[in-house]
């Protein structure tokens, strides 16, 4: 089902409850209901040691409230299942002019290549989401053409300040001590740029190219 655009957001997974994208081994689903939401929570709570921001255990009610308040144009939640059981979760969040990825797997599914499958899927979704906001090259004015800026509204006649915005970048965060995850992200095309740190212990990696 991957590739179909869901109604109401930029997600490329159909939001119908029975819509799944079958990857190599995992099945990815855009989270739409209570089972998806709580499946995400249970997996997330097994990954707290790897979370770079909020490491609390999330309760069922907290998750329900978070899910109800989601801005669907800024957050894309996914649940990943293996043989019908929720074993992974993923999030794509729009933060300013960037798309931030996060996700995780239950302990029994780590070290088996499923993390690469999960984050590879999230990268593909983020690229699709980003592409939907980019106009064709003809819609970029001469003032900004070739500069990497998009959605130009520069008015040369009135000499207004250009309000174009740059292509959204794709990021994720990882603890510097988590070498396994760092190497996986590196293989997927993420790189750490000098000075890109959330805290002294947390590295911010930017996606540059598909591996």
């Amino acid at each position: 089902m991957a590739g179909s655009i869901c109604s109401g957001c930029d997600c490329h997974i159909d939001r119908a409850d029975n819509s799944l994208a079958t990857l190599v081994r995992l099945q990815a689903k855009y989270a739409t209901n209570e089972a998806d939401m709580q499946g995400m929570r249970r997996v997330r709570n097994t990954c707290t040691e790897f979370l770079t921001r909020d490491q609390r255990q999330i309760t069922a009610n907290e998750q329900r409230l978070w899910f109800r308040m989601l801005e669907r144009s800024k957050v894309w939640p996914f649940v990943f299942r293996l043989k019908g059981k929720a074993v992974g979760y993923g999030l794509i969040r729009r933060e300013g002019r960037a798309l931030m990825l996060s996700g995780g797997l239950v302990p029994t599914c780590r070290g088996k290549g499923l993390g690469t499958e999960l984050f590879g899927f999230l990268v593909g979704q983020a690229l699709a989401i980003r592409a939907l906001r980019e106009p064709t090259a003809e819609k970029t004015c001469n003032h900004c053409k070739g500069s990497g800026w998009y959605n130009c509204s520069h008015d040369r006649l009135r000499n207004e300040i250009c309000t174009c915005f740059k292509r959204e970048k794709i990021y994720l965060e990882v603890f510097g001590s988590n070498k396994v995850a760092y190497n996986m992200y590196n293989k997927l095309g993420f790189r750490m740029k000098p000075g890109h740190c959330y805290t002294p212990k947390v590295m911010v990696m930017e996606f540059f190219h598909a591996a």
Side-chain angles (χ1 to χ4, degrees):
M1 189 64 69
S4 61
I5 301 176
C6 70
S7 59
C9 75
D10 297 331
C11 170
H12 276 223
I13 294 290
D14 195 294
R15 287 172 60 183
D17 289 356
N18 60 354
S19 298
L20 297 170
T22 301
L23 310 181
V24 178
R25 287 171 288 175
L26 296 175
Q27 285 186 315
K29 182 179 183 293
Y30 182 83
T32 60
N33 56 41
E34 179 80 8
D36 297 338
M37 170 183 63
Q38 297 301 342
M40 289 181 63
R41 178 187 66 85
R42 286 189 289 270
V43 175
R44 181 258 180 212
N45 282 347
T46 70
C47 304
T48 53
E49 63 184 296
F50 305 112
L51 302 181
T52 58
R53 299 189 182 184
D54 185 357
Q55 294 188 328
R56 296 177 303 116
Q57 292 286 309
I58 302 298
T59 68
N61 284 335
E62 286 175 326
Q63 181 77 346
R64 199 171 289 116
L65 178 62
W66 170 82
F67 198 74
R68 188 181 307 134
M69 300 297 291
L70 274 186
E71 290 187 63
R72 296 289 175 167
S73 63
K74 293 184 178 180
V75 182
W76 295 264
F78 297 93
V79 61
F80 295 83
R81 290 186 171 91
L82 183 64
K83 297 180 180 179
K85 182 179 180 180
V87 298
Y89 83 97
L91 281 177
I92 302 174
R93 300 189 305 275
R94 180 168 276 139
E95 297 184 353
R97 294 176 179 174
L99 295 171
M100 183 68 72
L101 312 187
S102 60
L105 291 162
V106 296
T108 55
C109 288
R110 297 171 193 162
K112 300 178 180 180
L114 295 175
T116 301
E117 194 172 320
L118 187 155
F119 274 93
F121 172 85
L122 292 179
V123 167
Q125 292 297 301
L127 289 171
I129 290 166
R130 183 175 76 176
L132 289 175
R133 299 193 74 182
E134 296 177 4
T136 60
E138 299 83 56
K139 294 183 180 178
T140 304
C141 77
N142 291 330
H143 176 78
C144 297
K145 194 169 290 183
S147 67
W149 290 79
Y150 296 83
N151 281 8
C152 179
S153 60
H154 179 250
D155 189 333
R156 287 170 292 172
L157 296 177
R158 294 172 60 189
N159 199 31
E160 291 181 351
I161 297 175
C162 180
T163 57
C164 305
F165 64 83
K166 274 199 171 184
R167 166 181 286 179
E168 290 177 307
K169 295 185 178 181
I170 299 172
Y171 291 108
L172 53 74
E173 297 171 352
V174 61
F175 285 112
S177 58
N178 191 349
K179 302 301 182 184
V180 173
Y182 175 86
N183 290 336
M184 177 184 71
Y185 300 145
N186 191 67
K187 289 179 181 178
L188 285 171
F190 287 87
R191 299 290 184 270
M192 190 186 76
K193 300 177 77 173
H196 278 54
C197 289
Y198 182 66
T199 72
K201 294 182 179 180
V202 177
M203 298 185 297
V204 180
M205 302 182 74
E206 180 182 346
F207 178 77
F208 283 96
H209 59 84

PDB file of all heavy atoms in Angstrom, residues 31 33-45 58-67 79 81 86 89:
ATOM      1  N   ALA A  31      -0.543   4.998  12.112  1.00  0.00           N
ATOM      2  CA  ALA A  31      -1.332   4.762  13.321  1.00  0.00           C
ATOM      3  C   ALA A  31      -2.634   5.555  13.288  1.00  0.00           C
ATOM      4  O   ALA A  31      -2.619   6.786  13.151  1.00  0.00           O
ATOM      5  CB  ALA A  31      -0.524   5.150  14.550  1.00  0.00           C
ATOM      6  N   ASN A  33      -5.734   4.117  15.223  1.00  0.00           N
ATOM      7  CA  ASN A  33      -6.718   3.671  16.213  1.00  0.00           C
ATOM      8  C   ASN A  33      -6.059   3.340  17.549  1.00  0.00           C
ATOM      9  O   ASN A  33      -4.844   3.452  17.708  1.00  0.00           O
ATOM     10  CB  ASN A  33      -7.504   2.476  15.671  1.00  0.00           C
ATOM     11  CG  ASN A  33      -6.595   1.331  15.259  1.00  0.00           C
ATOM     12  OD1 ASN A  33      -5.623   1.025  15.939  1.00  0.00           O
ATOM     13  ND2 ASN A  33      -6.897   0.700  14.128  1.00  0.00           N
ATOM     14  N   GLU A  34      -6.884   2.913  18.491  1.00  0.00           N
ATOM     15  CA  GLU A  34      -6.410   2.625  19.854  1.00  0.00           C
ATOM     16  C   GLU A  34      -5.351   1.527  19.875  1.00  0.00           C
ATOM     17  O   GLU A  34      -4.341   1.637  20.573  1.00  0.00           O
ATOM     18  CB  GLU A  34      -7.604   2.227  20.725  1.00  0.00           C
ATOM     19  CG  GLU A  34      -7.256   1.862  22.167  1.00  0.00           C
ATOM     20  CD  GLU A  34      -7.061   3.075  23.068  1.00  0.00           C
ATOM     21  OE1 GLU A  34      -7.350   4.189  22.617  1.00  0.00           O
ATOM     22  OE2 GLU A  34      -6.633   2.878  24.214  1.00  0.00           O
ATOM     23  N   ALA A  35      -5.548   0.477  19.107  1.00  0.00           N
ATOM     24  CA  ALA A  35      -4.580  -0.621  19.077  1.00  0.00           C
ATOM     25  C   ALA A  35      -3.235  -0.145  18.546  1.00  0.00           C
ATOM     26  O   ALA A  35      -2.174  -0.492  19.091  1.00  0.00           O
ATOM     27  CB  ALA A  35      -5.112  -1.779  18.230  1.00  0.00           C
ATOM     28  N   ASP A  36      -3.254   0.655  17.476  1.00  0.00           N
ATOM     29  CA  ASP A  36      -2.010   1.204  16.926  1.00  0.00           C
ATOM     30  C   ASP A  36      -1.317   2.089  17.948  1.00  0.00           C
ATOM     31  O   ASP A  36      -0.109   1.981  18.186  1.00  0.00           O
ATOM     32  CB  ASP A  36      -2.300   2.038  15.674  1.00  0.00           C
ATOM     33  CG  ASP A  36      -2.899   1.236  14.544  1.00  0.00           C
ATOM     34  OD1 ASP A  36      -2.733   0.006  14.535  1.00  0.00           O
ATOM     35  OD2 ASP A  36      -3.537   1.850  13.664  1.00  0.00           O
ATOM     36  N   MET A  37      -2.095   2.974  18.550  1.00  0.00           N
ATOM     37  CA  MET A  37      -1.573   3.955  19.489  1.00  0.00           C
ATOM     38  C   MET A  37      -0.926   3.294  20.699  1.00  0.00           C
ATOM     39  O   MET A  37       0.195   3.635  21.105  1.00  0.00           O
ATOM     40  CB  MET A  37      -2.728   4.853  19.920  1.00  0.00           C
ATOM     41  CG  MET A  37      -2.445   5.794  21.070  1.00  0.00           C
ATOM     42  SD  MET A  37      -3.940   6.719  21.504  1.00  0.00           S
ATOM     43  CE  MET A  37      -5.031   5.385  22.030  1.00  0.00           C
ATOM     44  N   GLN A  38      -1.623   2.313  21.292  1.00  0.00           N
ATOM     45  CA  GLN A  38      -1.071   1.658  22.472  1.00  0.00           C
ATOM     46  C   GLN A  38       0.064   0.701  22.108  1.00  0.00           C
ATOM     47  O   GLN A  38       0.976   0.480  22.910  1.00  0.00           O
ATOM     48  CB  GLN A  38      -2.184   0.925  23.226  1.00  0.00           C
ATOM     49  CG  GLN A  38      -3.272   1.841  23.773  1.00  0.00           C
ATOM     50  CD  GLN A  38      -2.736   2.906  24.739  1.00  0.00           C
ATOM     51  OE1 GLN A  38      -1.641   2.811  25.280  1.00  0.00           O
ATOM     52  NE2 GLN A  38      -3.545   3.944  24.955  1.00  0.00           N
ATOM     53  N   GLY A  39       0.018   0.152  20.905  1.00  0.00           N
ATOM     54  CA  GLY A  39       1.150  -0.647  20.440  1.00  0.00           C
ATOM     55  C   GLY A  39       2.404   0.188  20.349  1.00  0.00           C
ATOM     56  O   GLY A  39       3.493  -0.235  20.760  1.00  0.00           O
ATOM     57  N   MET A  40       2.265   1.392  19.800  1.00  0.00           N
ATOM     58  CA  MET A  40       3.394   2.329  19.746  1.00  0.00           C
ATOM     59  C   MET A  40       3.927   2.624  21.144  1.00  0.00           C
ATOM     60  O   MET A  40       5.135   2.625  21.378  1.00  0.00           O
ATOM     61  CB  MET A  40       2.959   3.643  19.091  1.00  0.00           C
ATOM     62  CG  MET A  40       2.701   3.585  17.606  1.00  0.00           C
ATOM     63  SD  MET A  40       2.217   5.218  16.991  1.00  0.00           S
ATOM     64  CE  MET A  40       3.721   6.162  17.333  1.00  0.00           C
ATOM     65  N   ARG A  41       3.015   2.884  22.076  1.00  0.00           N
ATOM     66  CA  ARG A  41       3.418   3.231  23.446  1.00  0.00           C
ATOM     67  C   ARG A  41       4.194   2.089  24.106  1.00  0.00           C
ATOM     68  O   ARG A  41       5.244   2.319  24.725  1.00  0.00           O
ATOM     69  CB  ARG A  41       2.174   3.569  24.280  1.00  0.00           C
ATOM     70  CG  ARG A  41       2.474   3.898  25.749  1.00  0.00           C
ATOM     71  CD  ARG A  41       1.192   4.057  26.546  1.00  0.00           C
ATOM     72  NE  ARG A  41       0.456   2.804  26.649  1.00  0.00           N
ATOM     73  CZ  ARG A  41       0.696   1.871  27.578  1.00  0.00           C
ATOM     74  NH1 ARG A  41       1.676   2.037  28.455  1.00  0.00           N
ATOM     75  NH2 ARG A  41      -0.035   0.771  27.602  1.00  0.00           N
ATOM     76  N   ARG A  42       3.681   0.878  23.972  1.00  0.00           N
ATOM     77  CA  ARG A  42       4.347  -0.261  24.618  1.00  0.00           C
ATOM     78  C   ARG A  42       5.758  -0.462  24.068  1.00  0.00           C
ATOM     79  O   ARG A  42       6.689  -0.737  24.828  1.00  0.00           O
ATOM     80  CB  ARG A  42       3.507  -1.520  24.451  1.00  0.00           C
ATOM     81  CG  ARG A  42       2.256  -1.542  25.336  1.00  0.00           C
ATOM     82  CD  ARG A  42       1.567  -2.898  25.307  1.00  0.00           C
ATOM     83  NE  ARG A  42       0.924  -3.143  24.017  1.00  0.00           N
ATOM     84  CZ  ARG A  42      -0.326  -2.796  23.748  1.00  0.00           C
ATOM     85  NH1 ARG A  42      -1.065  -2.187  24.656  1.00  0.00           N
ATOM     86  NH2 ARG A  42      -0.862  -3.068  22.567  1.00  0.00           N
ATOM     87  N   VAL A  43       5.900  -0.326  22.763  1.00  0.00           N
ATOM     88  CA  VAL A  43       7.238  -0.465  22.176  1.00  0.00           C
ATOM     89  C   VAL A  43       8.125   0.682  22.639  1.00  0.00           C
ATOM     90  O   VAL A  43       9.269   0.470  23.066  1.00  0.00           O
ATOM     91  CB  VAL A  43       7.165  -0.479  20.636  1.00  0.00           C
ATOM     92  CG1 VAL A  43       8.575  -0.492  20.039  1.00  0.00           C
ATOM     93  CG2 VAL A  43       6.376  -1.677  20.138  1.00  0.00           C
ATOM     94  N   ARG A  44       7.611   1.882  22.571  1.00  0.00           N
ATOM     95  CA  ARG A  44       8.388   3.067  22.963  1.00  0.00           C
ATOM     96  C   ARG A  44       8.902   2.950  24.399  1.00  0.00           C
ATOM     97  O   ARG A  44      10.022   3.341  24.720  1.00  0.00           O
ATOM     98  CB  ARG A  44       7.505   4.305  22.783  1.00  0.00           C
ATOM     99  CG  ARG A  44       8.189   5.620  23.142  1.00  0.00           C
ATOM    100  CD  ARG A  44       7.734   6.094  24.488  1.00  0.00           C
ATOM    101  NE  ARG A  44       8.361   7.354  24.859  1.00  0.00           N
ATOM    102  CZ  ARG A  44       8.642   7.690  26.106  1.00  0.00           C
ATOM    103  NH1 ARG A  44       8.350   6.862  27.109  1.00  0.00           N
ATOM    104  NH2 ARG A  44       9.208   8.843  26.377  1.00  0.00           N
ATOM    105  N   ASN A  45       8.077   2.398  25.299  1.00  0.00           N
ATOM    106  CA  ASN A  45       8.475   2.285  26.701  1.00  0.00           C
ATOM    107  C   ASN A  45       9.583   1.254  26.928  1.00  0.00           C
ATOM    108  O   ASN A  45      10.176   1.225  28.009  1.00  0.00           O
ATOM    109  CB  ASN A  45       7.261   1.947  27.573  1.00  0.00           C
ATOM    110  CG  ASN A  45       6.397   3.172  27.847  1.00  0.00           C
ATOM    111  OD1 ASN A  45       6.814   4.303  27.593  1.00  0.00           O
ATOM    112  ND2 ASN A  45       5.200   2.948  28.369  1.00  0.00           N
ATOM    113  N   ILE A  58       5.512   6.257  29.457  1.00  0.00           N
ATOM    114  CA  ILE A  58       4.253   6.898  29.099  1.00  0.00           C
ATOM    115  C   ILE A  58       3.089   5.985  29.471  1.00  0.00           C
ATOM    116  O   ILE A  58       3.090   4.796  29.169  1.00  0.00           O
ATOM    117  CB  ILE A  58       4.205   7.204  27.592  1.00  0.00           C
ATOM    118  CG1 ILE A  58       5.382   8.100  27.197  1.00  0.00           C
ATOM    119  CG2 ILE A  58       2.885   7.853  27.208  1.00  0.00           C
ATOM    120  CD1 ILE A  58       5.397   9.446  27.866  1.00  0.00           C
ATOM    121  N   THR A  59       2.081   6.560  30.148  1.00  0.00           N
ATOM    122  CA  THR A  59       0.907   5.771  30.513  1.00  0.00           C
ATOM    123  C   THR A  59      -0.077   5.695  29.339  1.00  0.00           C
ATOM    124  O   THR A  59       0.013   6.468  28.379  1.00  0.00           O
ATOM    125  CB  THR A  59       0.186   6.396  31.717  1.00  0.00           C
ATOM    126  OG1 THR A  59      -0.385   7.654  31.315  1.00  0.00           O
ATOM    127  CG2 THR A  59       1.143   6.623  32.877  1.00  0.00           C
ATOM    128  N   ALA A  60      -1.038   4.776  29.451  1.00  0.00           N
ATOM    129  CA  ALA A  60      -2.040   4.616  28.406  1.00  0.00           C
ATOM    130  C   ALA A  60      -2.856   5.892  28.227  1.00  0.00           C
ATOM    131  O   ALA A  60      -3.152   6.308  27.098  1.00  0.00           O
ATOM    132  CB  ALA A  60      -2.953   3.440  28.731  1.00  0.00           C
ATOM    133  N   ASN A  61      -3.205   6.548  29.319  1.00  0.00           N
ATOM    134  CA  ASN A  61      -3.996   7.777  29.223  1.00  0.00           C
ATOM    135  C   ASN A  61      -3.189   8.915  28.618  1.00  0.00           C
ATOM    136  O   ASN A  61      -3.727   9.725  27.847  1.00  0.00           O
ATOM    137  CB  ASN A  61      -4.527   8.186  30.602  1.00  0.00           C
ATOM    138  CG  ASN A  61      -5.696   7.324  31.040  1.00  0.00           C
ATOM    139  OD1 ASN A  61      -6.400   6.757  30.206  1.00  0.00           O
ATOM    140  ND2 ASN A  61      -5.898   7.216  32.343  1.00  0.00           N
ATOM    141  N   GLU A  62      -1.915   9.021  28.989  1.00  0.00           N
ATOM    142  CA  GLU A  62      -1.052  10.048  28.401  1.00  0.00           C
ATOM    143  C   GLU A  62      -0.928   9.853  26.894  1.00  0.00           C
ATOM    144  O   GLU A  62      -0.974  10.816  26.122  1.00  0.00           O
ATOM    145  CB  GLU A  62       0.334  10.012  29.048  1.00  0.00           C
ATOM    146  CG  GLU A  62       0.377  10.570  30.449  1.00  0.00           C
ATOM    147  CD  GLU A  62       1.741  10.392  31.091  1.00  0.00           C
ATOM    148  OE1 GLU A  62       2.413   9.374  30.810  1.00  0.00           O
ATOM    149  OE2 GLU A  62       2.138  11.275  31.880  1.00  0.00           O
ATOM    150  N   GLN A  63      -0.781   8.601  26.486  1.00  0.00           N
ATOM    151  CA  GLN A  63      -0.676   8.308  25.061  1.00  0.00           C
ATOM    152  C   GLN A  63      -1.972   8.661  24.331  1.00  0.00           C
ATOM    153  O   GLN A  63      -1.960   9.208  23.224  1.00  0.00           O
ATOM    154  CB  GLN A  63      -0.350   6.828  24.850  1.00  0.00           C
ATOM    155  CG  GLN A  63      -0.186   6.407  23.395  1.00  0.00           C
ATOM    156  CD  GLN A  63       1.144   6.817  22.801  1.00  0.00           C
ATOM    157  OE1 GLN A  63       1.860   7.631  23.366  1.00  0.00           O
ATOM    158  NE2 GLN A  63       1.474   6.249  21.653  1.00  0.00           N
ATOM    159  N   ARG A  64      -3.076   8.358  24.958  1.00  0.00           N
ATOM    160  CA  ARG A  64      -4.383   8.642  24.359  1.00  0.00           C
ATOM    161  C   ARG A  64      -4.565  10.144  24.156  1.00  0.00           C
ATOM    162  O   ARG A  64      -5.040  10.596  23.098  1.00  0.00           O
ATOM    163  CB  ARG A  64      -5.481   8.070  25.261  1.00  0.00           C
ATOM    164  CG  ARG A  64      -6.820   7.887  24.599  1.00  0.00           C
ATOM    165  CD  ARG A  64      -7.773   7.120  25.501  1.00  0.00           C
ATOM    166  NE  ARG A  64      -7.394   5.706  25.624  1.00  0.00           N
ATOM    167  CZ  ARG A  64      -7.005   5.119  26.752  1.00  0.00           C
ATOM    168  NH1 ARG A  64      -6.943   5.808  27.881  1.00  0.00           N
ATOM    169  NH2 ARG A  64      -6.685   3.838  26.766  1.00  0.00           N
ATOM    170  N   LEU A  65      -4.183  10.925  25.155  1.00  0.00           N
ATOM    171  CA  LEU A  65      -4.302  12.382  25.057  1.00  0.00           C
ATOM    172  C   LEU A  65      -3.372  12.925  23.989  1.00  0.00           C
ATOM    173  O   LEU A  65      -3.754  13.780  23.182  1.00  0.00           O
ATOM    174  CB  LEU A  65      -3.983  13.021  26.412  1.00  0.00           C
ATOM    175  CG  LEU A  65      -4.010  14.553  26.453  1.00  0.00           C
ATOM    176  CD1 LEU A  65      -5.404  15.075  26.116  1.00  0.00           C
ATOM    177  CD2 LEU A  65      -3.578  15.057  27.831  1.00  0.00           C
ATOM    178  N   TRP A  66      -2.127  12.439  23.963  1.00  0.00           N
ATOM    179  CA  TRP A  66      -1.162  12.867  22.936  1.00  0.00           C
ATOM    180  C   TRP A  66      -1.710  12.581  21.547  1.00  0.00           C
ATOM    181  O   TRP A  66      -1.645  13.427  20.654  1.00  0.00           O
ATOM    182  CB  TRP A  66       0.165  12.135  23.154  1.00  0.00           C
ATOM    183  CG  TRP A  66       1.145  12.304  22.035  1.00  0.00           C
ATOM    184  CD1 TRP A  66       1.982  13.366  21.830  1.00  0.00           C
ATOM    185  CD2 TRP A  66       1.405  11.381  20.965  1.00  0.00           C
ATOM    186  NE1 TRP A  66       2.735  13.157  20.702  1.00  0.00           N
ATOM    187  CE2 TRP A  66       2.398  11.958  20.156  1.00  0.00           C
ATOM    188  CE3 TRP A  66       0.887  10.126  20.629  1.00  0.00           C
ATOM    189  CZ2 TRP A  66       2.891  11.320  19.010  1.00  0.00           C
ATOM    190  CZ3 TRP A  66       1.366   9.490  19.494  1.00  0.00           C
ATOM    191  CH2 TRP A  66       2.359  10.079  18.697  1.00  0.00           C
ATOM    192  N   PHE A  67      -2.258  11.405  21.367  1.00  0.00           N
ATOM    193  CA  PHE A  67      -2.755  10.997  20.062  1.00  0.00           C
ATOM    194  C   PHE A  67      -3.934  11.865  19.628  1.00  0.00           C
ATOM    195  O   PHE A  67      -4.061  12.236  18.459  1.00  0.00           O
ATOM    196  CB  PHE A  67      -3.179   9.532  20.121  1.00  0.00           C
ATOM    197  CG  PHE A  67      -3.300   8.870  18.787  1.00  0.00           C
ATOM    198  CD1 PHE A  67      -2.174   8.516  18.058  1.00  0.00           C
ATOM    199  CD2 PHE A  67      -4.552   8.583  18.258  1.00  0.00           C
ATOM    200  CE1 PHE A  67      -2.283   7.903  16.826  1.00  0.00           C
ATOM    201  CE2 PHE A  67      -4.671   7.962  17.029  1.00  0.00           C
ATOM    202  CZ  PHE A  67      -3.529   7.624  16.307  1.00  0.00           C
ATOM    203  N   VAL A  79       3.199   2.407  13.330  1.00  0.00           N
ATOM    204  CA  VAL A  79       3.443   1.206  14.129  1.00  0.00           C
ATOM    205  C   VAL A  79       3.940   0.126  13.178  1.00  0.00           C
ATOM    206  O   VAL A  79       3.473   0.027  12.030  1.00  0.00           O
ATOM    207  CB  VAL A  79       2.161   0.762  14.880  1.00  0.00           C
ATOM    208  CG1 VAL A  79       1.039   0.419  13.922  1.00  0.00           C
ATOM    209  CG2 VAL A  79       2.454  -0.397  15.809  1.00  0.00           C
ATOM    210  N   ARG A  81       4.684  -4.002  12.705  1.00  0.00           N
ATOM    211  CA  ARG A  81       4.311  -5.303  13.249  1.00  0.00           C
ATOM    212  C   ARG A  81       5.103  -6.421  12.583  1.00  0.00           C
ATOM    213  O   ARG A  81       5.477  -6.329  11.414  1.00  0.00           O
ATOM    214  CB  ARG A  81       2.808  -5.538  13.073  1.00  0.00           C
ATOM    215  CG  ARG A  81       1.948  -4.644  13.959  1.00  0.00           C
ATOM    216  CD  ARG A  81       0.465  -5.005  13.878  1.00  0.00           C
ATOM    217  NE  ARG A  81      -0.318  -4.291  14.889  1.00  0.00           N
ATOM    218  CZ  ARG A  81      -0.895  -3.113  14.691  1.00  0.00           C
ATOM    219  NH1 ARG A  81      -0.788  -2.523  13.514  1.00  0.00           N
ATOM    220  NH2 ARG A  81      -1.576  -2.532  15.670  1.00  0.00           N
ATOM    221  N   ALA A  86       2.882  -5.881  17.466  1.00  0.00           N
ATOM    222  CA  ALA A  86       3.599  -4.611  17.411  1.00  0.00           C
ATOM    223  C   ALA A  86       4.994  -4.778  18.003  1.00  0.00           C
ATOM    224  O   ALA A  86       5.136  -5.130  19.174  1.00  0.00           O
ATOM    225  CB  ALA A  86       2.821  -3.543  18.172  1.00  0.00           C
ATOM    226  N   TYR A  89       8.024   1.147  16.514  1.00  0.00           N
ATOM    227  CA  TYR A  89       7.257   2.375  16.307  1.00  0.00           C
ATOM    228  C   TYR A  89       8.144   3.371  15.577  1.00  0.00           C
ATOM    229  O   TYR A  89       9.377   3.276  15.592  1.00  0.00           O
ATOM    230  CB  TYR A  89       6.784   2.977  17.639  1.00  0.00           C
ATOM    231  CG  TYR A  89       7.824   3.819  18.336  1.00  0.00           C
ATOM    232  CD1 TYR A  89       7.830   5.205  18.211  1.00  0.00           C
ATOM    233  CD2 TYR A  89       8.835   3.221  19.098  1.00  0.00           C
ATOM    234  CE1 TYR A  89       8.808   5.974  18.834  1.00  0.00           C
ATOM    235  CE2 TYR A  89       9.805   3.972  19.719  1.00  0.00           C
ATOM    236  CZ  TYR A  89       9.794   5.354  19.586  1.00  0.00           C
ATOM    237  OH  TYR A  89      10.768   6.106  20.189  1.00  0.00           O
TER     238      TYR A  89
END
